[in-house]
Amino acid sequence: MSVAGNYPLAPELPRELQVEVTGACNLRCRMCLVRYAPAVGRSEGALSYSEFRQLVDALPALTRVTLQGLGEPLLAPHLLDMIRYATDRRIEVGFNSNGVLLDRRWARDLVAAGTGWVHISLDGATAATYEDVRHSTAFRPQPGQFDRVVANLRTLVAERAAAGAARPVVKVVCVAMRRNVAELADLVELAADLGVDELWVQNLSHTFGDTDPAGRYAGIREYAAEESLTGDQETARRAFAAAAAAADTRGLALRLPRLADHPAPRHAGQPGCTWPWESGYVTHRGEVQPCCMVMGSDRATLGRLPEQPFPSIWTGERYQQFRRRLLGDDPPDVCRGCALYRGTF
């Protein structure tokens, strides 16, 4: 079943895929669902290598795979095997990491394996700000963590250069919030000094406005409301302008998000979000979801592996219904507060 235009309800199998290779994490960051959910152990939270291969093999047109979800990819026991398997298939592969575990050995292995990109989260230009956001598993700042991540970034860039390689592409990723937005210009300076390829700044990913205010998402919902830049756009605009000026001076590629408190306009016949046509998301438990922005398998799971193969889920009725609503003015509830759907990510 399809609709007119370029967005059929049962499209061809995706060329891109995002896979949560582990649900375990070594941090409890303020803006992440991991902080507000029960802890996941390293063994129980790991996607097996065989499951990964089966998934990749079921999608012969794949050209790009992102190995990340809510967990920290460097905790996945088969991460390097997965990277090598993908690159052997000529699939570009990479991930986002908090960078705490990214020591010299990891850096060398990732370069040697042909990793396409490694993005490292750095939510502040000073230790005080960064460590106030990215807490340890004890839910408190970990002194020295900022310096460790900065040193690991330097090491990764150096190991890439030592190998004479162009990859992985190394980006610093910052989630801009009220508590750290004033440091963006200084973060530009730091990123330029580190020699990374780009500084990617994004907004908080979701408002969680579709959830029960007193339910299991209450904590992250309250945090998003308190820290969203939409509540103080003038301050954010000044910070963005200062960061852009610094990036221009230093010659650093800088990506800044859109600031708005309303969704971006949607043209007739265009979906509010194209992700469910272009890429799938699979959790470490085998849950197939429309995207990684959902953050919570109870909110939008469209099928489960291995109960059904991925191709059957992709073209199944649940996926078709989800896409149908994205093509209209009544999107799924989980999309309404999504920064990607609203055009502010």
Side-chain angles (χ1 to χ4, degrees):
M1 183 177 183
S2 62
V3 296
N6 298 319
Y7 298 96
L9 298 182
E12 294 182 358
L13 291 175
R15 299 174 63 84
E16 299 184 10
L17 188 68
Q18 184 164 340
V19 184
E20 183 186 59
V21 291
T22 180
C25 193
N26 55 329
L27 297 183
R28 297 294 182 268
C29 305
R30 290 185 181 272
M31 66 293 193
C32 181
L33 186 60
V34 169
R35 182 184 183 93
Y36 306 90
V40 176
R42 185 170 183 178
S43 297
E44 65 179 280
L47 181 77
S48 74
Y49 182 45
S50 62
E51 290 171 326
F52 174 77
R53 286 185 297 144
Q54 289 171 13
L55 180 57
V56 170
D57 291 347
L59 301 172
L62 279 181
T63 60
R64 182 180 175 92
V65 174
T66 301
L67 302 178
Q68 71 189 56
L70 288 176
E72 166 52 46
L74 296 182
L75 288 174
H78 305 290
L79 180 65
L80 282 174
D81 292 330
M82 293 171 176
I83 292 172
R84 294 182 184 116
Y85 190 76
T87 55
D88 286 346
R89 295 276 303 271
R90 297 186 178 181
I91 299 170
E92 187 178 23
V93 60
F95 59 92
N96 190 98
S97 168
N98 59 45
V100 174
L101 303 175
L102 187 59
D103 57 15
R104 187 171 299 278
R105 181 175 178 178
W106 263 118
R108 288 176 177 171
D109 286 345
L110 291 171
V111 172
T115 310
W117 72 93
V118 177
H119 299 169
I120 304 299
S121 297
L122 204 59
D123 302 303
T126 63
T129 297
Y130 166 87
E131 290 167 8
D132 178 56
V133 172
R134 294 194 170 259
H135 287 177
S136 69
T137 54
F139 297 92
R140 60 173 178 261
Q142 183 66 41
Q145 185 170 289
F146 174 79
D147 292 337
R148 181 177 180 180
V149 173
V150 169
N152 289 346
L153 265 166
R154 291 189 190 280
T155 297
L156 178 59
V157 172
E159 289 296 329
R160 182 181 66 176
R167 300 204 166 194
V169 172
V170 181
K171 295 183 183 180
V172 166
V173 177
C174 174
V175 180
M177 298 168 280
R178 294 193 202 184
R179 68 178 62 229
N180 67 1
V181 69
E183 293 190 1
L184 284 184
D186 290 337
L187 188 58
V188 167
E189 298 290 343
L190 175 58
D193 289 342
L194 289 170
V196 303
D197 299 299
E198 183 177 349
L199 170 59
W200 177 286
V201 180
Q202 65 188 54
N203 281 317
L204 290 166
S205 61
H206 213 289
T207 67
F208 293 89
D210 60 296
T211 64
D212 180 356
R216 61 177 294 217
Y217 295 95
I220 194 168
R221 176 175 173 152
E222 291 171 6
Y223 183 82
E226 292 169 357
E227 289 293 327
S228 173
L229 297 182
T230 60
D232 188 359
Q233 291 191 36
E234 186 55 40
T235 296
R237 287 192 181 94
R238 288 197 298 267
F240 282 10
D248 185 61
T249 299
R250 297 300 302 271
L252 177 71
L254 171 67
R255 184 268 189 186
L256 293 168
R258 173 175 171 260
L259 279 171
D261 55 7
H262 55 82
R266 182 179 64 83
H267 301 291
Q270 300 287 318
C273 173
T274 60
W275 195 324
W277 281 265
E278 299 169 350
S279 177
Y281 176 70
V282 181
T283 73
H284 71 277
R285 294 178 296 267
E287 297 144 339
V288 179
Q289 298 186 284
C291 66
C292 72
M293 308 290 279
V294 170
M295 289 193 292
S297 58
D298 59 323
R299 299 171 73 209
T301 292
L302 305 176
R304 287 178 171 81
L305 306 173
E307 295 175 10
Q308 288 180 275
F310 186 93
S312 296
I313 296 171
W314 180 257
T315 57
E317 183 59 27
R318 289 185 187 176
Y319 241 123
Q320 291 194 38
Q321 290 286 2
F322 197 91
R323 295 184 184 109
R324 182 181 288 108
R325 291 189 66 180
L326 279 174
L327 284 165
D329 296 324
D330 180 31
D333 291 345
V334 74
C335 297
R336 296 177 187 274
C338 172
L340 197 61
Y341 180 83
R342 296 173 66 82
T344 59
F345 187 62

